[in-house]
Amino acid sequence: MSLATAQATAFEADFERFEQAAGASAPAWLHDLRRQAMDHFRAQGIPGPKHEDWLYTNTTPLAKSLLPIAPRAVEVPGSLAAHRFTLGVEEGTRLVFLNGRYEPSLSSTEGLPEGVVLVHGAALRDEEHADLRAELGTVADPAKHPFAALNMAYLYDGFVLRVPKGVVVEKPVQTLFLHSPVGQAVAVHPRVLVVAGENSRVTFIERYGIDCIGALAGGTCFTNAVTEYVLHQGAHVRAMRVQHEGTNTYHVGLTAVQQARDSRFDSISLSLGGAIDRNETHVALQDTGAECNLNGLYVLGNEEHVDNHTVIRHEVPHCKSAQLYKGVLGGKSNGAFTGRVVVAPDAQKTVADQANHTLLLSDHAVAETRPQLEIYADDVQCAHGATIGRLDEEALYYLRSRGIGPRTARNLLVHAFASEITEAAEDPQLVEGLEMLIASRLEGRANRPEDAQ
Amino acid sequence: MTNDTNPLLSVRGVHATAGDKLVLKGLDLEVKPGEVHAIMGPNGSGKSTLARVLTGNVGADVTAGEVLYKGQDLFELAPEERAREGMFLAFQYPVEIPGIANSTLLREGLNAIREHRGQPELDAIDFLQIAREKAAVLEMDPAMLNRAVNYGFSGGEKKRNEVLQMLVLEPSLAILDETDSGLDIDALKIVAKGVNALRSEDRSFIVITHYQRLLDYIVPDVVHVLSDGKIVRSGDKDLALELEAKGYAWLEEGANA
């Protein structure tokens, strides 16, 4: 599939502008990487409506909102400086990016154990890190993912986190990609690579938000994020992803994970609305004993659309995967889930579970669910289940019969439905942080970062 | 029982359907403050439909008749408003709600009721103290407060949990819908102890039961027999013993004669 000519020309022109302006001060290796990625994007184009993997998401508005792509520098809005953007966890490393650029005044790189390497900001565009050229895109292959290719073509900022063998990072490493689309649309391409060494342990939180000034100004933004995880033998990574950019924004996120022997990847993905939010997670279980647990929750209203798309590849025997995605759909929103599990011919003793449960809060919301199990081995345990339902009338009556008003009763039941996901965070501070975000979403407040305070 | 005070509850000529079926066919009942009424009757006679009509109409549609509660038209009040006015139903089949802690349900309910009464909200510490005291009356492990509402509870634990809620919310009119079913004799005594602890001059109970057994421990002022949607006979506590000895068939024959 190739881009329509006019659109292609616009993209080419924008890319050249980026390479010569904002992106100009980059070493040769990075220019090469970008141009190669642009070739991959050109070859694939933006997936159209006939692409099976994009069945539930109309990409036309995405294509229209992609430009202008170049990262624009903005002054840090005063209202932001006071906020700490913690998810209930005060201490630890915190990296804040504003319109795709690292913002030191809002960040703190304190608190990392010795040996942990963090490359971010201008350092990422340094000659010194030429080895990244071979490393970036090994998990999220730009030849196979058009938006990942586009992300790499516009690689400007982001960070790389390396946790060495045996190191346990106690406090979560948090990032916030914040957009300030004052007066103009903004498109950003955040890039993250997390490499967890043998038997290391780390919790990584990525948040995507829009600042309140930009939101009030009615600005729109397009985020095209790529996060790659490489888990070495015995590594345990907890990953949290929160998207609360707001109802007018477009978001395409790819989380790509590669797991070695006995490693474990636990994730929670929280989608709190957007005009279009496409949330892809790809996991390759590449050696025995590897385990992944993917949890997702989407809470939508208005005419919002979230499309969760997971692909788990069981490439070898004795690996385990579990997926639990839950949706709460109000208004005229649309929540889709596609879960593909591929079990290779010799991946015997695979255990793969998948569940998608949706709660419809209105008569006009639509839920779509699509399990795709491709099983080529014969000695496996694979299960999938999906339910779509409404709030339990009997439970509502029960709560009301105890004096609880209908609005509170409904909210309690929605929280109860969501709690299976938030509790997967285990850390009580994080669980509470997630619950507060969901509460502010349910109470109809804007998705502003400060609501999490 | 003779009592000149105004009734707490007056049910007059109530007809109600459950599903497509007419279940209550002209029911009359008057409960005065401080009274304990037992309602007995065979399966399908309309006992649970009566409980639903009184507490919120979900799953039961009233087609005729009226109910006055504390002098107000009960049907004008939403389920939560009835609860805030002191009405309580111990469910025959308590609902399991995974994800909501027992203590959350109780605290939200109690504070909504307190707000309605113009009392200050209870904070978590004061609330827990009350809840623990009430749990102790019922010989319940206080850890039950942290568990999800009825989720994974045994039949007996669920019934005991209903009585715990009643003790915490301190209703003016408590309706116990077959709270004794599925309880062994020890659990039954504990449940009765909880009910008796709450008995007072200004608090009334409607005890719906299939068996006379419970009434040995919660001694009623009035016993009614409900059959085919109507109260066919009322009497004192000896009526329950008579029913136990002779069965309901005798009564239906008598009623039809």
Side-chain angles (χ1 to χ4, degrees):
Chain A
M1 243 173 285
S2 71
L3 286 170
T5 318
Q7 202 178 46
T9 312
F11 270 103
E12 299 289 350
D14 188 81
F15 177 69
E16 287 308 325
R17 268 200 303 280
F18 166 68
E19 270 281 85
Q20 278 149 36
S25 61
W29 71 267
L30 186 50
H31 285 297
D32 280 356
L33 189 70
R34 287 175 183 159
R35 291 199 177 275
Q36 198 181 36
M38 195 62 196
D39 290 341
H40 285 306
F41 177 66
R42 207 177 282 122
Q44 297 169 89
I46 291 175
K50 287 182 182 161
H51 195 302
E52 199 203 332
D53 287 347
W54 289 82
L55 188 66
Y56 297 130
T57 297
N58 176 10
T59 54
T60 311
L62 292 182
K64 282 183 183 163
S65 65
L66 273 171
L67 299 171
I69 269 168
R72 288 187 305 117
V74 288
E75 272 188 37
V76 178
S79 59
L80 290 180
H83 296 301
R84 292 190 295 273
F85 309 114
T86 59
L87 207 60
V89 182
E90 298 285 336
E91 310 91 347
T93 306
R94 188 176 66 248
L95 301 172
V96 180
F97 295 81
L98 191 58
N99 282 359
R101 291 166 179 255
Y102 178 65
E103 184 48 59
S105 72
L106 299 174
S107 304
S108 161
T109 52
E110 307 283 302
L112 283 176
E114 210 178 317
V116 176
V117 177
L118 189 61
V119 184
H120 60 277
L124 197 72
R125 304 185 293 275
D126 201 289
E127 191 59 57
E128 190 192 335
H129 298 291
D131 51 345
L132 280 176
R133 188 189 164 159
E135 220 170 349
L136 290 169
T138 50
V139 193
D141 187 351
K144 290 181 185 160
H145 301 277
F147 284 102
L150 194 65
N151 172 287
M152 196 179 266
Y154 284 86
L155 182 60
Y156 179 80
D157 216 336
F159 73 94
V160 177
L161 176 72
R162 291 182 208 279
V163 184
K165 184 176 173 178
V167 170
V168 174
V169 183
E170 295 286 355
K171 293 282 171 192
V173 175
Q174 306 196 51
T175 61
L176 179 73
F177 293 98
L178 194 65
H179 313 312
S180 190
V182 184
Q184 200 185 343
V186 58
V188 289
H189 301 265
R191 183 87 191 188
V192 175
L193 169 64
V194 176
V195 182
E198 267 181 48
N199 300 314
S200 66
R201 207 165 75 209
V202 66
T203 298
F204 175 61
I205 301 168
E206 51 188 319
R207 283 176 66 182
Y208 298 87
I210 184 166
D211 83 82
C212 45
I213 296 167
L216 291 175
T220 61
C221 65
F222 177 86
T223 302
N224 174 28
V226 175
T227 304
E228 294 178 281
Y229 289 93
V230 177
L231 276 67
H232 289 285
Q233 186 172 331
H236 184 184
V237 172
R238 288 176 176 282
M240 244 181 256
R241 187 178 206 287
V242 180
Q243 192 285 103
H244 54 127
E245 289 168 340
T247 203
N248 296 319
T249 58
Y250 301 99
H251 186 102
V252 175
L254 171 63
T255 301
V257 188
Q258 178 182 297
Q259 292 189 242
R261 193 182 180 95
D262 298 328
S263 62
R264 181 169 157 186
F265 181 78
D266 297 331
S267 74
I268 298 175
S269 162
L270 190 58
S271 300
L272 297 175
I276 292 177
D277 179 5
R278 163 82 171 192
N279 202 350
E280 276 189 50
T281 304
H282 293 243
V283 180
L285 299 166
Q286 296 182 329
D287 207 345
T288 56
E291 176 183 342
C292 72
N293 300 292
L294 310 183
N295 297 286
L297 177 69
Y298 37 109
V299 184
L300 310 181
N302 308 320
E303 295 184 11
E304 294 173 336
H305 172 81
V306 167
D307 180 0
N308 277 292
H309 192 108
T310 65
V311 181
I312 298 176
R313 296 187 187 279
H314 283 262
E315 297 176 4
V316 294
H318 295 286
C319 288
K320 207 172 144 189
S321 68
Q323 299 181 72
L324 177 62
Y325 278 77
K326 287 187 146 187
V328 178
L329 309 183
K332 294 181 180 172
S333 66
N334 177 298
F337 172 78
T338 300
R340 186 181 304 154
V341 176
V342 183
V343 181
D346 61 348
Q348 304 296 358
K349 305 290 181 191
T350 286
V351 178
D353 280 316
Q354 180 188 100
N356 177 220
H357 301 299
T358 311
L359 190 56
L360 295 176
L361 297 183
S362 94
D363 290 339
H364 306 287
V366 175
E368 288 166 303
T369 182
R370 182 168 60 149
Q372 295 182 323
L373 273 56
E374 295 175 26
I375 302 167
Y376 302 102
D378 50 19
D379 184 11
V380 300
Q381 283 180 49
C382 294
H384 69 89
T387 60
I388 297 173
R390 294 176 178 284
L391 285 178
D392 181 352
E393 285 294 333
E394 186 71 7
L396 265 178
Y397 171 48
Y398 190 75
L399 293 173
R400 293 177 73 186
S401 79
R402 270 44 178 160
I404 300 170
R407 191 179 158 83
T408 307
R410 275 190 205 98
N411 278 347
L412 280 171
L413 289 175
V414 172
H415 278 284
F417 178 80
S419 66
E420 206 179 348
I421 303 294
T422 52
E423 276 163 17
E426 288 184 11
D427 179 333
Q429 285 181 312
L430 290 177
V431 172
E432 204 188 325
L434 292 175
E435 281 174 354
M436 284 175 75
L437 281 173
I438 294 164
S440 68
R441 172 65 176 138
L442 285 174
E443 283 156 23
R445 283 188 267 144
N447 301 308
R448 294 171 199 165
E450 62 267 38
D451 285 343
Q453 296 296 303
Chain B
M1 189 177 197
T2 54
N3 189 329
D4 292 332
T5 54
N6 290 326
L8 180 68
L9 180 79
S10 301
V11 180
R12 294 175 195 156
V14 164
H15 290 66
T17 56
D20 297 333
K21 213 174 136 214
L22 188 64
V23 180
L24 297 183
K25 302 173 182 174
L27 190 132
D28 298 300
L29 177 69
E30 193 162 291
V31 179
K32 287 181 174 164
E35 291 180 344
V36 175
H37 288 239
I39 295 182
M40 302 181 72
N43 287 329
S45 58
K47 302 192 299 291
S48 287
T49 302
L50 172 62
R52 298 210 146 223
V53 162
L54 293 179
T55 56
N57 285 350
V58 176
D61 292 318
V62 176
T63 54
E66 65 168 358
V67 178
L68 290 179
Y69 172 66
K70 291 185 175 175
Q72 312 172 67
D73 178 356
L74 184 73
F75 300 144
E76 289 292 312
L77 301 176
E80 65 276 9
E81 291 170 325
R82 297 179 196 196
R84 291 169 194 170
E85 284 289 343
M87 200 177 259
F88 179 88
L89 171 64
F91 279 58
Q92 184 182 4
Y93 302 107
V95 183
E96 294 194 8
I97 313 181
I100 298 181
N102 238 340
S103 57
T104 305
L105 163 71
L106 275 172
R107 202 173 129 208
E108 291 282 346
L110 181 57
N111 276 330
I113 290 168
R114 287 177 67 88
E115 190 188 346
H116 181 74
R117 292 179 188 151
Q119 295 169 322
E121 190 175 321
L122 286 177
D123 66 26
I125 294 166
D126 289 342
F127 164 76
L128 263 185
Q129 194 181 340
I130 290 173
R132 286 204 180 113
E133 278 168 17
K134 306 295 185 188
V137 172
L138 299 172
E139 297 170 37
M140 282 169 79
D141 182 351
M144 293 271 281
L145 292 167
N146 299 328
R147 287 173 60 186
V149 177
N150 297 320
Y151 185 61
F153 284 25
S154 70
E157 282 175 330
K158 284 180 183 169
K159 295 301 176 80
R160 212 181 285 198
N161 199 32
E162 294 292 290
V163 178
L164 172 67
Q165 294 178 36
M166 182 182 78
L167 292 188
V168 171
L169 301 180
E170 299 186 321
S172 321
L173 174 63
I175 301 157
L176 282 74
D177 189 1
E178 298 204 17
T179 302
D180 53 331
S181 63
L183 292 185
D184 64 28
I185 193 71
D186 291 330
L188 189 76
K189 284 180 184 171
I190 291 168
V191 162
K193 188 177 140 196
V195 172
N196 289 326
L198 212 57
R199 283 181 81 157
S200 75
E201 281 179 5
D202 52 6
R203 191 169 284 139
S204 309
F205 294 86
I206 296 175
V207 180
I208 294 170
T209 181
H210 200 71
Y211 304 104
Q212 183 272 337
R213 191 178 66 147
L214 177 68
L215 305 179
D216 284 341
Y217 302 97
I218 304 172
V219 180
D221 298 307
V222 190
V223 174
H224 307 279
V225 180
L226 186 61
S227 178
D228 194 28
K230 282 183 205 167
I231 286 176
V232 293
R233 203 162 154 186
S234 300
D236 65 11
K237 63 182 183 341
D238 294 335
L239 178 57
L241 293 169
E242 203 177 337
L243 279 172
E244 185 77 358
K246 297 184 180 173
Y248 291 109
W250 150 77
L251 217 147
E252 277 159 26
E253 283 161 23
N256 294 335

